[in-house]
Amino acid sequence: METALFVIAFIAVLATLAYHQASLKLFTAAAAATLFVGSMLDIVGEAAWLAFIVVAVLLNVSSFRQNWLSKPVLKAFKSVMPEMSRTEQEAIDAGTVWWDADLFSGSPDWNKLHDVPAPRLSAEEQAFLDGPVNEVCSMVNEWEVTHERADLPPEVWQYLKDNKFFAMIIQKKYGGLEFSAYAQSLVLQRLGTVSGVMAATVGVPNSLGPGELLQHYGTEDQKNQYLPRLAAGKEIPCFALTSPEAGSDAGSIPDEGIVCKGMWEGKEVLGMSLTWNKRYITLAPVATVLGLAFKLKDPEGLLGDEKELGITCALIPTDLEGVETGRRHFPLNMPFMNGPTKGKDIFVPIDFIIGGPKMAGQGWRMLVECLSVGRAITLPAAAASGAKTGALATGAYARIRRQFKLPIGKMEGIEEPMARIGGNAYVLDAMNRLTLAAIDMGEKPSVISAIMKYHSTDRAQKLAVDAMDVVGGKGICLGPSNPAGRAYQAAPIAVTVEGANILTRCLVIFGQGAIRCHPYVLAEMNAAKEADNSKSLRDFDSAFFGHIGFVFSNMSRAIWLSLTDGRLSAAPRKDETKRYYQQMNRYSAMLPFLTDVAMATMGGNLKRKERTSARLGDVLSQLYITSAILKRYADEGYQKDDLPLVHWGCQDALYKAERAIIDFLDNFSFRAVAVPLKVLLFPFGTSRKPTSDKLDGEIARIIQTPGATRDRIGFNQFREPTEFNNFGLLEKAFLEILKAEPIHAKIVKATGEKHPFMFLDKLADIGLEANAITESEAEILRTAEVGRLKVINVDDFNSDYLKAGLTGKDGEEKEKPVKATRSRAKKTTTAA
């Protein structure tokens, strides 16, 4: 019995040291001290001491450890290390790791998270939002853009150029605005309130494109030639990467350039003969300068010894003879300028390469480094904008629209999707704020950008479906007053572009995260590739034994925190959020431990087990999302009224994180490993639950009730009731209805009749006759009725108005549709 207790105590001592990530020397000293106590108690004998000394010497004497342990392990590691293509390696090396690495450490430093300064606008940036952004928002009629013109009006294009909307990322010395990432996002979010087409048009030049690439990699001549013209709107840029044969697998593009000599402006120069066929290129139909990605070959060795130089980026004026642009794709009734571009045997000087000849073959590195920033801004901004607008619009509609004599928003069945809408609007904005703060601190968070791209567009797509369910028939009939239809149609676009979501989830998030965020794996891989054998062994030995300690530390933490569900672990606050931090500590310990288990058992095959990788990536993603929610709550001053949103977001994310771990273990192919791990990590079964009906009801009520919390959900959105801002007009009607409700109640009480909440103009007359209300109150009812009818009525059209355009696919003349009357606006309109 004494021996058993001693063994348990010995294991407990080592486990405690592992939990606290003690050094090897401290481990050795503590083990020796424990064995000494055992000797004093006549429990530990000579054999145990002999075994301890052998192990201690082997582990602590570096020459012994390297030759007897690390060397054979290094050999085995090289044999199972998965092959990595050049493009994969460049993707791994791109960008930086940040808070994602803390989450992967098994022991997040919450003070580091809360020390991150909240993003702020400069006075200049705020003035731009309050001035040019609001002005152009009031100019755009999205129905005209999407249905009649299939384009922004010329005056809007000109306004965007004149006010440098395409130059937010360009430095001031070149005439640009040089805005922060936070400001760029808020501009795109506000534009997205009124027009997804306009937001996409502005977003792309300020994301991955020639401007971004030029500033980071361009030669001084290229910068001076193009950046001032881009800033002034004299050049419209696009970037062509995707080919019909290479979508998400962009590294396999077939487009090529051949280094050769040719004639340029009457002189023979060194250049490239380019052939390409690109698809899905935003702004290509109107671009004047084309950023082109292609594979460069040098068969004659004109640039050096290397024949296959690899992916290269160049700037091509679109007015060159042979460059084909102008045709358009039609992405799901969201007709932002998007189309193909082609060129065959187009000769350009070698200096057209972005950065000059020295950057030949460096295109993929350039792209992934820039994408790590741009992908974290543009699409997440669009998702947040759609979510925030959708939350307020759906809340307003559900409060106005009545069935069975009560607002539909008060029905429990409606509360369920409305809770997801309101909750996700808060969450998506929180994700944006944390990520934008990182970018403005100088980070290029490649893993986080993948998390942002996937989870923001995925949540926004599901939110669009929920909004459509709530608004029902109003949503399925397109027209100027439809609050949900275009967002519903457009949702798959964001899911598809910049890397398909399935690929991002299954390959990118964990594929990059497991290597970049893990403190030892990348060091081990680099050591294994080191040509100097002695340095390779030294570096591998250091990384490998650090890795061993990391595994035991996370195993100890994961088991202990699972027994307590994170209780007693560190949390930065002792309030309603404390338990969320502690639960995150638990899953943060599980994540690297399970990652190491998967790597050890599956080796290179893990790369091909996409659903296994995806589930581990989901854990990292949901931990990041929860961090963002808690950070937003802190940055906004711990507003107690916002706690339902915080609870909803954290509970939803942590439930998904735990569900991902359970699914990982249930489907892990090594059952002899998975079964005991599930017992150890979930000794009392699962702990997290989906959000409750009560909490869902609170969220639904928040988005139907004017106040500071609802305003924070809709932060920065363009809510002015201008002529074409359907969202602003809906908000106005919502507030008018709320003013009318107590007046309606007064009339009901005074007359003793249960008047339905309709025909409010007639009800006003009844109230006046009964001396129950004043004339000003009657006017409130009449105004509310006008707004109510606009909200609940559905657009209808003359049949000829809905006929497509004046020309066919290839430009042939078609029969002109007759002038049509739009019943909502009561105006005569000619279809474009």
Side-chain angles (χ1 to χ4, degrees):
M1 182 66 178
E2 289 181 350
T3 302
L5 290 174
F6 176 80
V7 171
I8 293 172
F10 186 73
I11 294 173
V13 169
L14 297 183
T16 301
L17 291 171
Y19 181 96
H20 292 288
Q21 299 179 336
S23 67
L24 179 58
K25 290 182 178 179
L26 184 56
F27 260 99
T28 304
T34 307
L35 290 174
F36 179 76
V37 172
S39 296
M40 298 295 292
L41 297 173
D42 290 331
I43 296 173
V44 175
E46 294 179 356
W49 274 106
L50 180 60
F52 167 73
I53 291 171
V54 170
V55 173
V57 170
L58 189 60
L59 293 179
N60 285 277
V61 179
S62 60
S63 58
F64 287 171
R65 186 178 67 229
Q66 289 177 18
N67 286 297
W68 290 95
L69 294 176
S70 297
K71 194 170 185 178
V73 174
L74 176 57
K75 182 178 179 180
F77 184 82
K78 288 182 177 179
S79 69
V80 300
M81 190 170 69
E83 292 185 11
M84 191 172 293
S85 68
R86 176 179 171 181
T87 53
E88 287 177 308
Q89 183 64 56
E90 289 175 343
I92 290 295
D93 294 339
T96 61
V97 293
W98 183 60
W99 181 244
D100 44 331
D102 278 71
L103 294 171
F104 217 101
S105 72
S107 182
D109 181 355
W110 298 115
N111 290 325
K112 174 182 175 180
L113 175 69
H114 287 291
D115 285 344
V116 174
R120 295 283 186 269
L121 293 174
S122 69
E124 180 185 4
E125 291 166 341
Q126 185 64 61
F128 188 78
L129 278 165
D130 295 340
V133 176
N134 282 350
E135 179 65 24
V136 79
C137 282
S138 67
M139 293 169 62
V140 175
N141 177 350
E142 182 73 341
W143 175 251
E144 177 191 16
V145 170
T146 58
H147 181 74
E148 297 174 357
R149 289 183 175 273
D151 189 11
L152 296 170
E155 62 271 19
V156 172
W157 272 105
Q158 194 60 48
Y159 189 89
L160 294 174
K161 294 175 183 179
D162 292 344
N163 288 273
K164 301 186 178 182
F165 277 81
F166 300 136
M168 290 191 288
I169 63 168
I170 295 177
Q171 296 171 349
K172 290 182 178 180
K173 65 181 180 180
Y174 298 111
L177 297 175
E178 201 172 345
F179 279 176
S180 64
Y182 183 56
Q184 293 173 47
S185 177
L186 292 189
V187 169
L188 296 177
Q189 289 182 45
R190 190 169 294 183
L191 296 179
T193 311
V194 298
S195 174
V197 172
M198 182 163 60
T201 300
V202 172
V204 170
N206 290 289
S207 180
L208 178 62
E212 180 83 355
L213 294 170
L214 279 170
Q215 291 196 133
H216 284 87
Y217 309 104
T219 66
E220 287 304 311
D221 286 344
Q222 289 171 340
K223 292 177 183 179
N224 292 328
Q225 177 184 354
Y226 282 109
L227 290 176
R229 293 181 60 79
L230 288 168
K234 294 178 180 178
E235 301 278 7
I236 297 295
C238 71
F239 192 84
L241 173 62
T242 308
S243 300
E245 295 84 0
S248 296
D249 181 18
S252 65
I253 55 175
D255 314 285
E256 68 175 21
I258 306 296
V259 179
C260 60
K261 292 183 178 180
M263 299 302 294
W264 182 260
E265 296 181 346
K267 297 180 181 179
E268 185 180 61
V269 299
L270 182 64
M272 305 169 289
S273 177
L274 303 173
T275 297
W276 71 90
N277 180 24
K278 302 288 191 179
R279 291 291 184 273
Y280 321 123
I281 311 305
T282 299
L283 295 187
V286 294
T288 61
V289 58
L290 168 69
L292 182 68
F294 55 92
K295 287 184 175 175
L296 184 61
K297 300 177 181 180
D298 186 11
E300 298 180 29
L302 298 176
L303 290 179
D305 296 332
E306 196 170 357
K307 306 297 184 184
E308 302 284 338
L309 294 169
I311 295 177
T312 301
C313 297
L315 290 178
I316 312 298
T318 59
D319 60 359
L320 288 182
E321 185 177 355
V323 176
E324 297 182 36
T325 59
R327 296 187 68 82
R328 296 179 61 180
H329 303 311
F330 191 31
L332 292 176
N333 269 341
M334 290 297 288
F336 55 94
M337 285 292 170
N338 184 275
T341 172
K342 295 180 181 181
K344 183 173 176 58
D345 300 328
I346 308 293
F347 180 80
V348 297
I350 200 74
D351 290 338
F352 278 33
I353 295 175
I354 298 176
K358 68 179 181 180
M359 296 304 290
Q362 300 299 309
W364 186 243
R365 177 175 67 84
M366 295 160 60
L367 292 173
V368 292
E369 285 180 354
C370 289
L371 190 61
S372 66
V373 174
R375 188 164 55 176
I377 299 176
T378 305
L379 287 176
S385 178
K388 293 191 290 186
T389 303
L392 267 58
T394 308
Y397 181 84
R399 193 67 182 77
I400 296 170
R401 180 78 167 115
R402 294 184 176 230
Q403 294 285 271
F404 309 107
K405 299 182 179 179
L406 78 161
I408 63 171
K410 293 187 177 182
M411 300 177 180
E412 279 198 0
I414 299 293
E415 285 181 347
E416 182 179 0
M418 289 183 66
R420 291 193 295 265
I421 294 168
N424 276 312
Y426 184 86
V427 169
L428 287 170
D429 202 32
M431 292 165 61
N432 270 271
R433 294 181 190 212
L434 180 58
T435 306
L436 295 166
I439 294 171
D440 285 332
M441 289 168 58
E443 299 290 341
K444 294 183 177 180
S446 56
V447 177
I448 289 174
S449 72
I451 291 173
M452 289 295 296
K453 192 278 171 181
Y454 169 65
H455 287 279
S456 62
T457 58
D458 180 69
R459 285 177 179 248
Q461 183 183 40
K462 292 179 171 64
L463 187 151
V465 174
D466 280 331
M468 184 64 78
D469 284 349
V470 173
V471 300
K474 179 78 172 183
I476 65 170
C477 294
L478 289 176
S481 68
N482 187 307
R486 291 301 191 208
Y488 178 85
Q489 285 183 311
I493 300 173
V495 166
T496 302
V497 300
E498 291 189 13
N501 269 8
I502 293 175
L503 169 113
T504 304
R505 175 175 178 257
C506 293
L507 296 178
V508 178
I509 294 175
F510 181 76
Q512 284 188 310
I515 296 175
R516 289 302 308 275
C517 298
H518 197 292
Y520 298 105
V521 167
L522 186 58
E524 290 168 334
M525 294 175 66
N526 289 336
K529 291 184 288 187
E530 173 61 49
D532 184 333
N533 290 334
S534 60
K535 185 178 188 304
S536 173
L537 183 57
R538 286 196 308 272
D539 291 349
F540 184 81
D541 172 78
S542 175
F544 177 68
F545 277 92
H547 195 160
I548 294 296
F550 184 68
V551 170
F552 280 104
S553 173
N554 286 316
M555 180 176 69
S556 299
R557 289 179 61 80
I559 292 172
W560 171 250
L561 294 174
S562 294
L563 288 170
T564 62
D565 193 23
R567 290 179 175 85
L568 306 180
S569 64
R573 291 184 63 80
K574 296 180 180 179
D575 61 7
E576 297 90 342
T577 64
K578 175 182 177 180
R579 289 290 296 128
Y580 298 132
Y581 290 102
Q582 293 177 328
Q583 290 158 12
M584 290 177 71
N585 288 336
R586 176 186 178 187
Y587 300 129
S588 177
M590 286 186 188
L591 173 60
F593 175 56
L594 292 175
T595 296
D596 283 321
V597 168
M599 288 180 170
T601 55
M602 305 177 75
N605 289 327
L606 180 57
K607 180 180 176 180
R608 289 177 285 278
K609 295 294 289 183
E610 295 175 7
R611 297 183 74 177
T612 297
S613 298
R615 288 168 181 135
L616 292 172
D618 287 345
V619 181
L620 177 61
S621 299
Q622 299 301 337
L623 290 176
Y624 182 75
I625 291 168
T626 311
S627 300
I629 296 165
L630 295 171
K631 181 68 166 64
R632 176 181 181 178
Y633 181 56
D635 287 346
E636 292 186 324
Y638 302 100
Q639 302 291 332
K640 297 293 185 182
D641 290 343
D642 294 0
L643 273 174
L645 296 162
V646 175
H647 289 314
W648 189 95
C650 291
Q651 289 173 23
D652 175 70
L654 291 172
Y655 170 76
K656 290 173 179 173
E658 184 178 81
R659 190 67 256 167
I661 295 171
I662 292 293
D663 290 344
F664 168 84
L665 293 171
D666 285 346
N667 292 279
F668 195 57
S669 53
F670 291 83
R671 301 311 301 158
V673 175
V675 172
L677 278 180
K678 190 172 182 180
V679 174
L680 287 171
L681 299 180
F682 296 94
F684 309 113
T686 56
S687 305
R688 310 279 78 81
K689 296 179 181 179
T691 57
S692 67
D693 293 354
K694 180 181 178 182
L695 183 58
D696 285 355
E698 291 183 58
I699 304 295
R701 284 188 287 277
I702 285 173
I703 63 174
Q704 296 178 78
T705 306
T709 296
R710 187 175 186 270
D711 288 343
R712 281 188 286 273
I713 291 175
F715 168 72
N716 185 63
Q717 299 308 94
F718 186 69
R719 296 162 71 174
E720 296 300 314
T722 54
E723 180 182 3
F724 304 122
N725 184 14
N726 184 45
F727 170 53
L729 295 171
L730 177 57
E731 279 283 287
K732 181 175 180 288
F734 166 61
L735 296 175
E736 290 168 347
I737 289 294
L738 293 180
K739 289 180 183 178
E741 284 183 344
I743 302 172
H744 171 268
K746 285 176 65 175
I747 296 173
V748 168
K749 183 178 180 179
T751 61
E753 296 183 36
K754 292 184 178 180
H755 299 282
F757 198 83
M758 62 178 70
F759 308 123
L760 299 180
D761 50 345
K762 296 179 180 179
L763 186 64
D765 295 335
I766 294 173
L768 288 172
E769 289 178 8
N771 293 318
I773 60 173
T774 65
E775 182 57 43
S776 62
E777 289 174 319
E779 189 58 32
I780 290 173
L781 288 176
R782 296 184 188 107
T783 301
E785 179 66 7
V786 173
R788 187 185 74 86
L789 290 176
K790 285 184 178 180
V791 169
I792 67 171
N793 282 330
V794 178
D795 297 298
D796 57 272
F797 308 91
N798 180 299
S799 293
D800 287 333
Y801 174 76
L802 298 178
K803 291 180 180 179
L806 302 181
T807 59
K809 178 180 178 183
D810 295 311
E812 70 273 13
E813 189 75 15
K814 291 178 64 178
E815 180 185 357
K816 295 182 180 180
V818 300
K819 290 185 177 181
T821 301
R822 240 189 291 176
S823 64
R824 174 183 176 273
K826 296 183 179 179
K827 293 180 180 179
T828 301
T829 308
T830 302

